[in-house]
């Protein structure tokens, strides 16, 4: 029987591990509120998506360690940055980091922090950079998950928790296959920029609120044959087994859809407007929306 190691925990198979990601599903009421605010933004800034332009997002790497496990070197960070920019650069979103801003914090309790725990809040409150202008990228033991993230609409109500957390072994070449090529971070940043899982809602009408991601009943794992429909909800469609927001192996993930890209950019404008004021960001907004943060209600 093949064993998989996620963080420092071993699993007999990927299905027994189950959840790659700890992101919660917002309530129906919350989703409606999110959609309404996004519609208001797009109504007031009708040219925002069409004009496009580059969006620059600085990252602060914050590595939690127990003193033995969790130490991440420069080469791993640089490899992770390459993975992220390969995924997002084609869509006008660019990430950078400064080695001098990187934090390695040795604290055995914080290293073991779980999703939604008091320890998570304590660690993040102490170590974060400004969450309005920076992506706080935490690595830890994972708490039994590959990672989790806050959504952009959470920033206003609870900025202390903002950012992503990934198990340190998910960074390129740090851990063991199949989750060691850095795509856990790509997946979690997708959430941080407003994407749901492609399988959200299963075969229900709401789904992931992106029109060009075929609905499918549950996550896909491993390296599914791309010529088969798998668990797609509609006849003639195929589950998006290579999408970054599914649960397949890192080496199998290779795309965001056009709809997902449009949603990420809309969510930045609606809920993370300060990212549009970062140096190197060039959204080239028209005069009616040169300062998006001043327009939003």
């Amino acid at each position: 029987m093949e064993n998989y190691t996620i963080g420092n925990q071993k699993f007999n198979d990927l299905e027994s591990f189950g959840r790659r990601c700890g992101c919660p599903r917002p309530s129906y009421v919350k989703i409606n509120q999110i959609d309404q605010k996004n519609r208001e933004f797009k109504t007031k800034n009708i040219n925002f998506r069409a004009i496009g332009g580059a969006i620059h997002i600085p990252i602060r790497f914050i590595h939690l360690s127990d003193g033995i496990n969790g130490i991440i070197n420069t080469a791993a960070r640089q490899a992770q940055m390459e993975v992220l920019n390969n995924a997002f650069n084609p869509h006008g979103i660019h990430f950078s980091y400064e080695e001098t801003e990187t934090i390695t914090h040795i604290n055995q309790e914080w290293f073991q922090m779980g999703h939604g725990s008091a320890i998570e809040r304590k660690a993040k409150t102490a170590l974060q950079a400004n969450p309005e202008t920076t992506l706080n990228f935490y690595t830890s033991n994972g708490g039994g998950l590959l990672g989790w993230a806050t959504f952009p609409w959470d920033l206003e109500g609870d900025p202390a928790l903002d950012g992503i957390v990934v198990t340190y072994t998910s960074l390129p070449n740090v851990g063991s296959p199949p989750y060691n090529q850095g795509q856990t971070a790509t997946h979690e940043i997708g959430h941080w920029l407003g994407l749901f899982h492609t399988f959200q809602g299963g075969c229900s009408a709401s789904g992931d609120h992106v029109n060009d991601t075929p609905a499918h009943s549950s996550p896909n794992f491993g390296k599914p044959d791309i010529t088969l429909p798998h668990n797609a909800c509609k006849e003639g469609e195929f589950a998006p087994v290579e999408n970054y927001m599914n649960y397949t192996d890192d080496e199998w993930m290779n795309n965001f859809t056009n709809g997902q890209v449009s949603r990420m950019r809309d969510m930045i404008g609606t809920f993370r407007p300060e990212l549009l004021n970062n140096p190197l960001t060039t959204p080239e907004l028209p005069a009616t929306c040169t300062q998006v943060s001043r327009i939003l209600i």
Side-chain angles (χ1 to χ4, degrees), residues 29-274:
V29 171
K30 182 64 176 178
I31 288 175
N32 282 340
Q33 292 172 345
I34 294 162
D35 289 347
Q36 178 60 32
K37 190 164 187 180
N38 187 34
R39 283 192 294 269
E40 291 171 359
F41 168 80
K42 290 190 289 186
T43 298
K44 294 176 181 179
N45 303 276
I46 57 175
N47 294 319
F48 175 73
R49 183 190 295 179
I51 291 176
I55 298 174
H56 173 234
I57 304 177
I59 287 177
R60 168 176 279 183
F61 283 106
I62 304 168
H63 305 303
L64 302 176
S65 170
D66 62 6
I68 299 174
N69 303 294
I71 302 295
I72 302 298
N73 61 30
T74 300
R77 282 189 289 275
Q78 292 176 341
Q80 179 67 79
M81 293 299 298
E82 182 176 0
V83 169
L84 294 179
N85 282 319
N86 284 342
F88 287 93
N89 261 359
H91 311 299
I93 300 173
H94 174 73
F95 297 93
S96 67
Y97 90 104
E98 296 289 340
E99 190 70 25
T100 55
E101 295 296 316
T102 296
I103 295 174
T104 297
H105 187 83
I106 298 176
N107 183 309
Q108 187 169 8
E109 184 181 37
W110 291 9
F111 178 62
Q112 302 292 341
M113 71 180 183
H115 177 231
S117 65
I119 298 172
E120 178 189 8
R121 181 174 295 279
K122 186 175 182 180
K124 287 184 170 182
T125 300
L127 300 173
Q128 72 171 184
N130 182 356
E132 293 187 351
T133 60
T134 305
L135 168 57
N136 288 287
F137 186 126
Y138 299 87
T139 62
S140 73
N141 196 37
L145 297 166
L146 275 174
W148 64 89
T150 56
F151 288 114
W153 47 86
D154 297 325
L155 174 61
E156 183 178 9
D158 200 352
L161 290 183
D162 194 75
I164 72 166
V165 181
V166 303
T167 179
Y168 73 97
T169 58
S170 72
L171 271 66
N173 304 315
V174 174
S176 57
Y179 302 135
N180 68 333
Q181 296 183 23
Q183 301 298 10
T184 294
T186 306
H187 178 105
E188 298 306 337
I189 291 173
H191 289 312
W192 188 76
L193 294 178
L195 298 183
F196 297 125
H197 293 126
T198 55
F199 51 85
Q200 168 137 331
C203 293
S204 72
S206 59
D208 66 349
H209 288 234
V210 176
N211 291 332
D212 59 358
T213 53
H216 52 124
S217 59
S218 57
N220 302 105
F221 295 94
K223 296 184 280 290
D225 186 339
I226 63 173
T227 67
L228 299 177
H230 297 289
N231 53 349
C233 297
K234 293 182 179 179
E235 186 175 353
E237 292 189 342
F238 294 77
V241 297
E242 295 179 302
N243 195 277
Y244 291 120
M245 302 312 294
N246 206 330
Y247 273 8
T248 51
D249 290 359
D250 276 18
E251 67 176 288
W252 223 237
M253 293 181 163
N254 61 31
N255 74 83
F256 291 115
T257 67
N258 290 335
Q260 287 175 318
V261 173
S262 294
R263 180 176 173 86
M264 286 190 285
R265 295 182 73 92
D266 286 345
M267 291 292 143
I268 289 171
T270 305
F271 297 103
R272 298 193 184 278
E274 288 303 315

